[in-house]
Amino acid sequence: MKNMIVALIIVTGSAVWGQVIKSAETCGECHHRNFVQWQQSSHSGSATDPLYQAVLNTLPPESERRTRCSRCHEPVRHLDIPATLAKDIAKEGVTCDMCHAVNWRESSRHHYVLGPENVKYGPYEDAVPSVHEHEYSQALSSSSACISCHHDVGTESLITCSTESEYKNSSFYKAGVTCQDCHMPKRAGKSAELGKWRQNIYSHVFYGGSTPRMLYDCATLNGELKFRDNNTVLSLSVTNQSVGHALPTGSPLRAVYLKITATSEQDSVLWSNYKTNSLNEDPDALFMRVLSDEQGNAPCIPTQARQSSLITGCSRTKRGSSSMSSPILWWTAFRPHCFIAHSHRLCRISLTLILRIRY
């Protein structure tokens, strides 16, 4: 019998993934300054935020609402990549590759399309990277990529975040002011250690409502003080000064309070519009979107919400077209705020706008 050689050939197969999603730490090896700034931002903590995690835990694992939340808080989970890789990087929230590895021309609000292998997208047409390929993305210097997440309208009665429509109805949008112009201000420097020196490097801190510098001149207070008999009547209005959308905007867990206090020459409080809870004591001085559950109980957490509405006394409007304006939450004393003060006595009135990010 002739010798017979049997060769057993085992072919193993695996999916070939065009774009390799990497940790932000890897990007930071070359883009160090951007990485450090991103670490300070809310984007880097969107997946691990304790409030987000607490709200997420109230939802069934495979529910549509849970998916809708994670699509923006943990967007890497919704990319066409291996599940194990997505799980590892998802904890980085809105990580570098979520913006720079996605082909925004082919992506939509609910579907992210990755670019070709080793291609990263950026806002500069003349970039010449040394580690990966580069393709210019107009979306990264416009508002289109931002509003893919910063807008969430579940139904006509349940609006949780309407930043996109607020912005598009503002004169900021009509004047060509983008999200990046305010939230990613440009500076001179390099986007990569070996990169070109530029005058227009975008900040990656992503300044927002939690950043004090964004709040310094965001609104103006205008008031009229009148004396009637022994009563002092104060009428006030709050005007959006420099915000290209509603104030506040985004999460319904954000609110702006107007605190009014009148004190005597001896610093004793003569009157204040509320002591502890503006929602109960003076709703006209509170700007927020209120979520209510099926029984109409309000406020409630987003996962229990079935309806949303502006707080009583609030509306959305915009100023004259002759100046930079936007839809705003505004407040006017429909019932004048009164406190008793003898006409011969002096009092000092303190006005404070307070932004509260969460309940």
Side-chain angles (χ1 to χ4, degrees), residues 246-287:
L247 176 67
T249 191
S251 168
L253 303 184
R254 294 177 177 174
V256 171
Y257 298 77
L258 176 62
K259 181 67 175 179
I260 311 171
T261 304
T263 57
S264 68
E265 292 178 284
Q266 291 73 37
D267 289 330
S268 60
V269 177
L270 301 174
W271 180 90
S272 63
N273 61 326
Y274 69 89
K275 294 182 179 179
T276 57
N277 191 331
S278 177
L279 182 60
N280 294 332
E281 300 173 49
D282 188 5
D284 282 345
L286 175 62
F287 319 139

Side-chain angles (χ1 to χ4, degrees), residues 224-236 260-262 269-274 281-282 284 331 333-342 347 349:
E224 183 180 15
L225 195 63
K226 294 182 179 180
F227 299 95
R228 297 175 185 169
D229 301 326
N230 286 331
N231 290 338
T232 302
V233 180
L234 175 65
S235 297
L236 284 173
I260 311 171
T261 304
V269 177
L270 301 174
W271 180 90
S272 63
N273 61 326
Y274 69 89
E281 300 173 49
D282 188 5
D284 282 345
W331 176 86
F334 296 103
R335 52 175 181 76
H337 285 296
C338 301
F339 59 91
I340 298 176
H342 297 294
C347 66
I349 298 175

Side-chain angles (χ1 to χ4, degrees), residues 165-185:
S165 58
E166 296 161 8
Y167 164 65
K168 288 186 174 180
N169 285 324
S170 74
S171 62
F172 286 72
Y173 175 75
K174 296 177 178 63
V177 179
T178 67
C179 301
Q180 291 89 335
D181 289 333
C182 296
H183 299 282
M184 299 180 68

Side-chain angles (χ1 to χ4, degrees), residues 58-104:
T58 66
L59 295 169
E62 304 300 325
S63 68
E64 187 276 334
R65 296 194 73 180
R66 187 183 183 108
T67 299
R68 202 169 77 191
C69 294
S70 66
R71 187 177 288 117
C72 288
H73 282 268
E74 304 173 79
V76 172
R77 292 185 183 274
H78 300 272
L79 297 177
D80 187 18
I81 61 175
T84 53
L85 177 62
K87 182 179 180 181
D88 290 339
I89 301 182
K91 63 179 180 294
E92 296 183 4
V94 185
T95 191
C96 306
D97 273 349
M98 194 55 235
C99 293
H100 296 283
V102 169
N103 184 340
W104 290 102

Side-chain angles (χ1 to χ4, degrees), residues 61-321:
E62 304 300 325
S63 68
E64 187 276 334
R65 296 194 73 180
R66 187 183 183 108
T67 299
R68 202 169 77 191
C69 294
S70 66
R71 187 177 288 117
C72 288
H73 282 268
E74 304 173 79
V76 172
R77 292 185 183 274
H78 300 272
L79 297 177
D80 187 18
I81 61 175
T84 53
L85 177 62
K87 182 179 180 181
D88 290 339
I89 301 182
K91 63 179 180 294
E92 296 183 4
V94 185
T95 191
C96 306
D97 273 349
M98 194 55 235
C99 293
H100 296 283
V102 169
N103 184 340
W104 290 102
R105 290 196 307 271
E106 300 181 15
S107 299
S108 63
R109 190 185 303 277
H110 303 300
H111 181 62
Y112 305 119
V113 178
L114 289 173
E117 180 180 2
N118 204 37
V119 171
K120 305 301 179 183
Y121 296 88
Y124 308 111
E125 296 185 71
D126 60 344
V128 184
S130 57
V131 176
H132 54 74
E133 301 299 321
H134 169 267
E135 186 172 324
Y136 168 70
S137 174
Q138 189 273 338
L140 293 181
S141 56
S142 72
S143 300
S144 57
C146 307
I147 59 181
S148 65
C149 271
H150 290 272
H151 190 79
D152 183 23
V153 180
T155 65
E156 184 176 343
S157 61
L158 181 56
I159 301 173
T160 55
C161 174
S162 55
T163 303
E164 177 184 7
S165 58
E166 296 161 8
Y167 164 65
K168 288 186 174 180
N169 285 324
S170 74
S171 62
F172 286 72
Y173 175 75
K174 296 177 178 63
V177 179
T178 67
C179 301
Q180 291 89 335
D181 289 333
C182 296
H183 299 282
M184 299 180 68
K186 299 173 185 177
R187 54 170 173 78
K190 297 181 178 182
S191 62
E193 304 309 305
L194 300 178
K196 178 180 179 181
W197 182 270
R198 302 176 186 274
Q199 297 298 320
N200 58 342
I201 300 297
Y202 290 99
S203 168
H204 281 64
V205 176
F206 299 102
Y207 297 104
S210 58
T211 312
R213 63 173 285 182
M214 294 289 287
L215 305 177
Y216 288 149
D217 62 350
C218 66
T220 57
L221 296 171
N222 294 296
E224 183 180 15
L225 195 63
K226 294 182 179 180
F227 299 95
R228 297 175 185 169
D229 301 326
N230 286 331
N231 290 338
T232 302
V233 180
L234 175 65
S235 297
L236 284 173
S237 64
V238 180
T239 305
N240 186 337
Q241 177 70 19
S242 62
V243 183
H245 43 65
L247 176 67
T249 191
S251 168
L253 303 184
R254 294 177 177 174
V256 171
Y257 298 77
L258 176 62
K259 181 67 175 179
I260 311 171
T261 304
T263 57
S264 68
E265 292 178 284
Q266 291 73 37
D267 289 330
S268 60
V269 177
L270 301 174
W271 180 90
S272 63
N273 61 326
Y274 69 89
K275 294 182 179 179
T276 57
N277 191 331
S278 177
L279 182 60
N280 294 332
E281 300 173 49
D282 188 5
D284 282 345
L286 175 62
F287 319 139
M288 67 179 295
R289 188 187 296 280
V290 176
L291 301 181
S292 55
D293 60 20
E294 290 180 335
Q295 290 72 42
N297 299 316
C300 69
I301 62 175
T303 55
Q304 297 174 350
R306 296 297 178 269
Q307 188 171 357
S308 67
S309 61
L310 298 178
I311 193 68
T312 303
C314 287
S315 178
R316 291 177 187 265
T317 184
K318 57 184 178 181
R319 291 178 284 155
S321 57

